[in-house]
């Protein structure tokens, strides 16, 4: 089955670090870019950045540049999103999604990872 | 503030048609493909329309996409209770060099 499976919900304190994952199966991982998308409570979708699993090239939305790190490990078909120092405002659901083509659409989504940051 | 503009909500009676607009600019909708996503509460978005008006396999033809200039529209005909969800538009922005989304529109079946 073609799918993206994300790691489980996380509860962290401000200032802590975190790395969440997105595992791909059922297709050639290196063929498609993978995106990370944030959805804050009650809000719309925000693209954080993209990674090309073939060569690990990354692109970040200006709002997220320097705030997070996106990476991929092709040997285990997994993409990652990490924070060095979490803030309460990072509380959100984070989705990974497969980019069908650079200017086309996101045709496959992970189930989402809820990240809660609270003291 | 989202780059693309959608109304917060639209509503219609069962069996009726609803149109969801998505407004942008020449740097995004005006010169790039638009896609639409449906999201039920507590679940991940799902692709409904890509490349302005194409439907992925398994998406019924009750769902349609159109575009004119810097605006796009998602149409849903034969509205059903199961269509109640949030609908998001998205596209590439050539000036920002990144993908952008609308704020999402909640569809309510009266």
């Amino acid at each position: 089955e073609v799918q993206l499976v994300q790691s489980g919900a996380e509860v962290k304190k401000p200032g802590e670090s975190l790395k969440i994952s997105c595992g791909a199966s059922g297709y050639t991982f290196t063929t498609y870019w993978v995106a990370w998308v944030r959805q804050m409570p009650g809000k719309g979708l925000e693209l954080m950045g993209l990674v090309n699993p073939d060569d690990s090239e990354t692109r970040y939305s200006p709002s997220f540049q320097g705030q997070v790190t996106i990476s991929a490990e092709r040997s285990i078909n997994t993409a990652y999103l990490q924070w060095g120092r979490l803030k309460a405002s990072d509380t959100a659901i984070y989705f990974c999604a497969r980019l069908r083509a650079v200017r086309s659409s996101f045709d496959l989504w992970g189930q989402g990872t809820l990240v809660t940051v609270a003291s | 503030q989202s780059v693309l503009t959608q109304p917060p909500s639209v509503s219609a009676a069962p069996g009726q048609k609803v149109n969801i607009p998505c407004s942008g600019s020449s740097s995004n909708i005006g010169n790039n493909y638009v896609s639409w996503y449906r999201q039920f509460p507590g679940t991940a978005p799902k692709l409904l329309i890509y490349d302005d008006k194409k439907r992925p396999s398994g998406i019924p033809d009750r769902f349609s996409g159109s575009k004119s200039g810097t605006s796009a529209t998602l149409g849903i005909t034969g509205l059903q209770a199961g269509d109640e969800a949030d609908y998001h538009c998205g596209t590439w922005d050539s000036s920002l060099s990144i993908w952008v989304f609308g704020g999402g529109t909640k569809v309510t079946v009266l």
Side-chain angles (χ1 to χ4, degrees):
Chain A
E1 181 183 0
V2 178
Q3 60 182 351
L4 295 173
V5 179
Q6 298 184 227
S7 50
E10 301 273 2
V11 179
K12 291 289 188 179
K13 290 180 167 47
E16 292 186 331
S17 63
L18 176 64
K19 189 174 187 177
I20 62 175
S21 66
C22 169
S25 60
Y27 74 95
T28 303
F29 183 55
T30 53
T31 301
Y32 302 89
W33 287 71
V34 174
W36 285 97
V37 177
R38 182 177 78 175
Q39 187 169 39
M40 300 181 76
K43 301 298 184 182
L45 306 174
E46 300 173 270
L47 188 120
M48 303 173 72
L50 301 158
V51 60
N52 181 347
D54 189 41
D55 60 7
S56 292
E57 178 186 355
T58 53
R59 298 182 186 180
Y60 293 90
S61 292
S63 299
F64 295 95
Q65 180 79 49
Q67 307 302 308
V68 296
T69 301
I70 293 171
S71 60
E73 178 53 65
R74 55 188 288 176
S75 65
I76 56 172
N77 295 343
T78 300
Y80 299 98
L81 173 65
Q82 68 181 88
W83 295 260
R85 292 182 58 85
L86 286 160
K87 299 173 286 189
S89 58
D90 292 319
T91 295
I93 298 176
Y94 294 88
F95 296 100
C96 62
R98 186 179 77 172
L99 189 58
R100 181 179 172 277
V102 175
R103 300 191 182 200
S104 176
S105 55
F106 297 99
D107 65 344
L108 182 68
W109 293 72
Q111 83 276 19
T113 296
L114 173 62
V115 174
T116 304
V117 184
S119 53
Chain B
Q1 194 78 356
S2 302
V3 174
L4 306 180
T5 301
Q6 297 181 240
S9 63
V10 296
S11 61
Q16 297 299 304
K17 177 177 182 177
V18 66
N19 288 321
I20 302 171
C22 175
S23 178
S25 68
S26 59
S27 67
N28 42 65
I29 291 178
N31 285 285
N32 293 290
Y33 286 127
V34 176
S35 51
W36 290 90
Y37 306 85
R38 179 178 64 190
Q39 184 180 28
F40 294 114
T43 69
K46 178 179 179 178
L47 180 64
L48 278 183
I49 297 289
Y50 68 98
D51 294 357
D52 295 341
K53 58 184 179 181
K54 298 178 181 177
R55 283 177 287 106
S57 174
I59 301 300
D61 58 8
R62 298 190 300 110
F63 296 90
S64 63
S66 63
K67 189 173 81 174
S68 178
T70 59
S71 293
T73 301
L74 174 69
I76 309 174
T77 59
L79 205 60
Q80 304 171 1
D83 294 327
E84 286 202 335
D86 292 324
Y87 293 80
H88 307 268
C89 59
T91 187
W92 176 262
D93 190 296
S94 302
S95 294
L96 298 174
S97 294
I98 200 67
W99 269 80
V100 292
F101 292 98
T105 297
K106 181 177 179 57
V107 169
T108 300
V109 181
L110 300 172

